[in-house]
Amino acid sequence: MTQLNNHNMGALSAAVETPSYDRQSVTPGIVHIGVGGFHRAHQAMYLDALMNQGEAFEWGIVGVGVMPDDKRMQKALAAQDYLYTLVVKHPDGEYQPRVIGSMVDYLFAPEDPEAVIEKMADPAIKIVSLTVTEGGYNFHPVTGEFNLDSPLVRDDLAHPEQPSTSFGLVVEALVRRRARGIAPFTVMSCDNIQGNGDVAKRMFSAYARARSAGLGDWLAAEVAFPNAMVDRITPVTAPVDIDELAQRFDIEDAWPVVCEPFTQWVLEDHFPLGRPALEKVGVQLVDDVEPYELMKLRLLNASHQALAYFGYLAGYRYAHEVCQDPLFVEFLLSYMREEGTPTLAPVPGVDLETYRLTLIERFANPQIKDTLVRLCAESSDRIPKWLVPVIRQQLAQGGEIERSAAVVASWARYVEGVDEQGEAIDIVDRLREPLMAIATNNRKNPAAFVENRELFGDLADQPRFLHAYLKILTSLHERGARATLETLVASKGTL
């Protein structure tokens, strides 16, 4: 068994691609906050590919963990010289392993916030990037305003030089750069949020403004926040992934990453201090990201929610199982064609019908084993951003909304916490307790779930939406998920 580290690269099997460059020549240029599987399968992979072309050695990544659980990954990667294996799993069963070498360090902020701040204050750092999930931006799901009442944010504002949040760390680093006459780094969001750069700018500016009005104004005026659309299905690494890597390729890797073959990154070209030549490895550098991100959010991400709750209630546990079922495929395609797509502007260079069919192929990849539990998690951060805008726009333009309303109803049924076989469902959501408290009364007060204005605004006041939602929820209770979908598909969107 070959343990993954700098010294053992030559001992890996010929079937495993390894960095072709001298990792000792790679120096930090990017600090990345939130080192999960997606970052390691996406941004870090692109940089590794560029380094394999003999470029970007000054753009090495320093990872930063801010959550308590990040300590495990920090320890695992440090023991491997920050190397890890990325395994691309093809639908035909082919495994394509590749060792990624673009990460050069990993700092655990709770142990040493000062080290993180000073690293970002280093003039060599030109970009601070983020994958902190939708919830990590600390904004209200309906108003979009920054939540200054968060206990962690309040604590950071009280002790700005000893912060614990990404807001506190980044802003303090910018404060120090400004005081030292160092130009501000670019803040690059890589999260699945519409207008992620714009959202990041609002949230970090709001935090800075809470420190001082002048600081907030300076940050909003001087710090670049490019928008981006990112895409690659990357399930959570499971013990079986570690075992398979060892058995197939004789590699001992404590935390590999598995992903699908497809990858996409559309990035607004706005980097005042420069950037890696990412266009050389397939990144689309554009002036306007919005058409691409809306395509992904309203077709891919919303379709994930469309398959997740119905699929789980029907007895499936993996996305590929759902998308090998013709009934679900027809439902997903009809949602995308009749409800999601009509809300989109033309997407330059993309044939939307081909894109829709490609999504089904990606979801159906049996090697990825993307769990429905993962797709159902943190839905209170997802549904308001990915699906509710589709419903609102379709209502405004007189379009179909029945399938979207069905997805919301399936979420409400899922949050009741018991499946159709009477087994408990472990609801993973930051609003777990209040959502379950409402959903457990769905039969007595079926409109209550969508009357939650924190998540849905005034949707419950829209008669066409409420009528469709209530019919689906009643059908889910009386007939179950599969029978409900059969009727919905057969009637082309109506019950």
Side-chain angles (χ1 to χ4, degrees):
M1 186 74 66
T2 303
Q3 186 174 17
L4 198 58
N5 57 47
N6 281 335
H7 304 293
N8 291 338
M9 287 296 94
L12 296 179
S13 75
V16 181
E17 182 182 348
T18 59
S20 62
Y21 50 91
D22 178 8
R23 293 189 74 231
Q24 298 303 311
S25 66
V26 179
T27 57
I30 298 173
V31 168
H32 183 82
I33 300 174
V35 183
F38 179 77
H39 164 71
R40 296 195 292 146
H42 198 263
Q43 181 185 344
M45 178 278 298
Y46 280 103
L47 285 162
D48 178 75
L50 198 51
M51 291 171 186
N52 277 324
Q53 294 183 9
E55 300 193 34
F57 296 137
E58 73 277 23
W59 294 103
I61 298 168
V62 175
V64 171
V66 296
M67 305 298 289
D69 288 348
D70 291 337
K71 180 62 179 177
R72 287 197 308 120
M73 183 178 286
Q74 189 267 341
K75 290 178 66 175
L77 293 180
Q80 298 176 177
D81 297 323
Y82 309 104
L83 294 162
Y84 61 90
T85 314
L86 177 65
V87 181
V88 179
K89 292 188 173 184
H90 295 263
D92 63 2
E94 178 191 357
Y95 279 36
Q96 188 179 0
R98 164 180 167 187
V99 175
I100 304 295
S102 54
M103 186 180 298
V104 296
D105 200 358
Y106 189 130
L107 305 176
F108 183 55
E111 284 184 351
D112 195 350
E114 181 67 16
V116 174
I117 295 165
E118 281 301 311
K119 176 55 68 175
M120 290 190 287
D122 185 333
I125 299 301
K126 307 293 197 302
I127 297 171
V128 171
S129 53
L130 308 163
T131 46
V132 293
T133 76
E134 299 88 350
Y137 289 82
N138 191 48
F139 59 84
H140 190 282
V142 174
T143 68
E145 296 299 316
F146 187 73
N147 178 20
L148 286 168
D149 293 327
S150 162
L152 292 175
V153 168
R154 288 203 309 266
D155 190 61
D156 276 9
L157 290 171
H159 309 93
E161 295 184 357
Q162 297 177 311
S164 63
T165 69
S166 58
F167 306 103
L169 294 163
V170 168
V171 171
E172 177 61 21
L174 287 168
V175 166
R176 296 187 191 185
R177 288 176 77 110
R178 184 186 186 193
R180 298 168 189 175
I182 304 167
F185 46 69
T186 295
V187 178
M188 181 176 69
S189 171
C190 296
D191 281 295
N192 281 319
I193 301 173
Q194 183 179 344
N196 52 14
D198 297 334
V199 170
K201 181 176 182 175
R202 290 200 309 273
M203 298 307 109
F204 281 93
S205 298
Y207 174 87
R209 197 164 285 114
R211 281 188 57 168
S212 79
L215 176 61
D217 293 342
W218 172 84
L219 188 149
E222 300 297 330
V223 180
F225 291 85
N227 288 303
M229 184 272 263
V230 296
D231 189 6
R232 189 169 221 179
I233 296 173
T234 309
V236 175
T237 302
V240 67
D241 297 316
I242 298 171
D243 294 342
E244 284 184 341
L245 187 62
Q247 292 166 9
R248 288 190 181 220
F249 301 103
D250 201 39
I251 298 176
E252 183 181 341
D253 185 340
W255 212 315
V257 185
V258 298
C259 65
E260 65 168 338
F262 183 92
T263 183
Q264 187 176 21
W265 190 1
V266 183
L267 182 60
E268 182 184 354
D269 198 358
H270 183 37
F271 294 83
L273 297 187
R275 60 167 175 79
L278 294 166
E279 67 274 16
K280 294 184 178 180
V281 286
V283 178
Q284 297 167 262
L285 278 298
V286 300
D287 294 328
D288 184 10
V289 173
E290 186 177 35
Y292 301 90
E293 67 184 1
L294 287 178
M295 174 186 73
K296 177 178 183 272
L297 294 172
R298 296 183 180 182
L299 298 185
L300 185 151
N301 294 121
S303 292
H304 263 157
Q305 307 317 118
L307 70 88
Y309 318 109
F310 271 113
Y312 194 99
L313 293 170
Y316 292 125
R317 292 298 176 262
Y318 292 94
H320 69 270
E321 296 173 336
V322 176
C323 287
Q324 291 171 1
D325 184 325
L327 173 66
F328 283 83
V329 169
E330 180 59 32
F331 173 64
L332 292 175
L333 286 173
S334 63
Y335 158 75
M336 287 192 274
R337 287 172 178 150
E338 306 302 331
E339 300 187 23
T341 300
T343 71
L344 303 178
V347 185
V350 177
D351 180 274
L352 289 176
E353 178 62 13
T354 300
Y355 182 79
R356 291 188 289 261
L357 295 174
T358 298
L359 288 181
I360 299 298
E361 293 175 3
R362 293 169 61 192
F363 297 164
N365 184 341
Q367 305 304 321
I368 295 300
K369 295 182 173 59
D370 201 7
T371 66
L372 298 186
V373 168
R374 183 186 82 87
L375 299 181
C376 291
E378 304 301 342
S379 296
S380 63
D381 286 328
R382 297 175 173 185
I383 292 289
K385 300 178 186 70
W386 300 345
L387 192 66
V388 169
V390 171
I391 299 170
R392 291 192 179 284
Q393 190 166 333
Q394 285 290 87
L395 286 171
Q397 59 196 27
E400 297 182 24
I401 51 89
E402 287 75 16
R403 300 166 189 85
S404 299
V407 177
V408 176
S410 69
W411 177 33
R413 170 64 185 86
Y414 176 86
V415 178
E416 291 175 15
V418 179
D419 68 15
E420 293 178 5
Q421 290 71 46
E423 299 294 326
I425 301 173
D426 182 17
I427 306 300
V428 178
D429 197 290
R430 64 186 178 85
L431 300 180
R432 169 191 165 101
E433 299 306 325
L435 287 176
M436 291 189 73
I438 298 171
T440 52
N441 289 309
N442 274 343
R443 295 175 189 266
K444 294 180 180 178
N445 187 3
F449 194 81
V450 290
E451 288 171 346
N452 182 344
R453 292 181 181 269
E454 293 293 301
L455 298 179
F456 298 105
D458 65 351
L459 267 191
D461 301 334
Q462 307 299 316
R464 193 152 67 91
F465 167 78
L466 186 62
H467 176 73
Y469 169 82
L470 292 176
K471 287 187 73 172
I472 295 291
L473 186 60
T474 298
S475 180
L476 286 168
H477 285 144
E478 294 178 354
R479 304 168 62 226
R482 188 170 194 90
T484 298
L485 272 191
E486 287 172 346
T487 302
L488 194 63
V489 167
S491 60
K492 299 188 183 301
T494 59
L495 279 183

